[in-house]
Structure formats: C-alpha cells, structure tokens
C-alpha cells in the first residue's frame, strides 16, 4: 500500500514540475524574435532604473541586471511575461557582461541608439529581425491591452491612457 502511495506521489510531483504544467503560456522554444525583444527590454529596464548615463555606476547596473528578468518588469513588452522572462534569462545568460559593459559606455548616445548598439551590433540578438515590423505590431502609441473585454491603449511607459477604450 505504501509503495503504491509513493509511486503516485512521485508521478504527481513529476507532472507538477514539468514546465508546461507549472507555467501555462510558457513557450516551448525561445525564438530569435523573443531574444531580440528581451534584449531591447533589458536595455529599456536598465536605462529606466539606473538613470542618466553620466551618473550610471557599475554597481547600479550590476544590481539592476540581477532583477531585470523579474516577471513584473516584463508586463509591458511585446510578448506575454512568461515568454519574455524565459527569453530574458536566456539572453542574459549569454550576454550579461556585454550588456553591462555597454550600459556604462553610453556616452552621448540616445537610449534608442544604445539599444541598437547592444542588440544589433554587440550581441547580434536583433540581427535579421525587422524592427519596424515589430514596432508596427504594437501600434504607434505603444501596446494595446484588453481589460474587461475593452481595448485599452497603453503608452510607452506601460500606463493605460485614460478614456481611450473601445467596446469589442
């Protein structure tokens, strides 16, 4: 009887620990477009959390890199948060040092130029990805989210634009 219970418990644990059961919506494979989006998200997050380039310190970048892939940081980007989180973790496992180095060398580059440098030239994460098409998917004013079956416009900061909703 105990052996039967133990084997059932092991099967249940094995089922619950499989990625698809543990986190619905998790991609089976992280694609190139996910890694590109993750790269741009990481740069965006670091720029927002570490402030102006001239005041940015290595310790700040290292600290923020640590939590860059947190679920809550991934809510405003192109793909669902579980997908972005997985892509972000995969991206940083390969490119964390390069991102850190170039975040400290922003100089007079704009934030967009910095993201292009890191994601296109340095890590090549966005090489071959049509960035204009990716931006067009999100619309010119940022992303679109749905709340209570209403389409809500979201600005570039991830905040809902008041009064701008449509019935579905």
């Amino acid at each position: 009887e105990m052996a039967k219970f133990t084997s059932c418990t092991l099967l249940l644990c094995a089922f619950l620990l499989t990625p698809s059961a543990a986190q619905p919506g998790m991609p089976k494979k992280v694609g190139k477009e996910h890694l590109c989006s993750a790269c741009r998200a990481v740069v965006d997050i670091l720029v927002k959390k570490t402030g102006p380039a001239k005041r940015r310190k290595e310790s700040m970048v290292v600290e923020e890199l640590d939590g860059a892939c947190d679920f809550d940081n991934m809510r405003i980007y192109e793909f669902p948060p579980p997908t972005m989180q997985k892509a972000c973790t995969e991206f940083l496992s390969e490119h964390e040092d390069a991102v850190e180095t170039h975040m400290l060398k922003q100089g007079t580059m704009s934030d967009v130029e910095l993201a292009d440098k890191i994601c296109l030239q340095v890590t090549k994460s966005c090489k071959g990805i049509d960035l204009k098409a990716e931006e067009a998917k999100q619309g010119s004013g940022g992303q679109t989210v749905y709340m209570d079956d209403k389409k809500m416009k979201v600005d570039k900061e991830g905040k809902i634009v008041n009064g701008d909703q449509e019935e579905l």
Side-chain angles (χ1 to χ4, degrees):
E1 193 64 36
M2 187 64 175
K4 195 182 222 181
F5 175 77
T6 304
S7 64
C8 284
T9 304
L10 287 173
L11 280 173
L12 179 62
C13 286
F15 172 75
L16 291 175
L17 293 175
T18 58
S20 59
Q23 293 187 327
M26 198 61 127
K28 287 177 179 40
K29 182 174 183 277
V30 174
K32 186 110 170 100
E33 67 280 2
H34 299 127
L35 292 172
C36 174
S37 192
C39 178
R40 298 188 88 75
V42 165
V43 174
D44 183 54
I45 290 162
L46 292 176
V47 162
K48 286 177 185 170
K49 293 192 174 197
T50 60
K54 60 181 170 250
R55 292 202 199 116
R56 201 172 289 148
K57 306 238 179 314
E58 184 178 3
S59 59
M60 297 162 76
V61 174
V62 169
E63 184 179 331
E64 294 304 337
L65 266 170
D66 238 12
C69 297
D70 289 352
F71 189 88
D72 286 341
N73 288 337
M74 298 294 138
R75 293 180 187 272
I76 65 167
Y77 298 103
E78 183 180 0
F79 298 102
T83 303
M84 286 298 296
Q85 192 174 29
K86 186 173 182 180
C88 179
T89 303
E90 192 172 309
F91 169 76
L92 283 181
S93 72
E94 259 183 72
H95 302 293
E96 187 168 351
D97 291 343
V99 171
E100 180 188 326
T101 299
H102 289 277
M103 285 299 299
L104 296 169
K105 291 182 179 176
Q106 182 173 357
T108 58
M109 277 186 273
S110 72
D111 297 343
V112 172
E113 289 169 330
L114 178 65
D116 285 346
K117 180 170 181 80
I118 292 172
C119 300
L120 284 166
Q121 297 167 20
V122 178
T123 67
K124 301 189 179 1
S125 298
C126 292
K127 192 173 182 192
I129 301 285
D130 183 353
L131 297 174
K132 294 287 178 224
E134 294 300 315
E135 286 171 17
K137 284 182 193 173
Q138 293 185 32
S140 57
Q143 298 174 326
T144 304
V145 295
Y146 294 88
M147 221 188 293
D148 298 327
D149 290 331
K150 291 180 184 152
K151 189 172 166 184
M152 310 294 287
K153 287 285 186 185
V154 179
D155 65 18
K156 295 275 184 202
E157 299 297 313
K159 295 184 175 97
I160 293 173
V161 179
N162 287 333
D164 196 3
Q165 47 184 277
E166 305 166 15
E167 285 291 332
L168 292 179

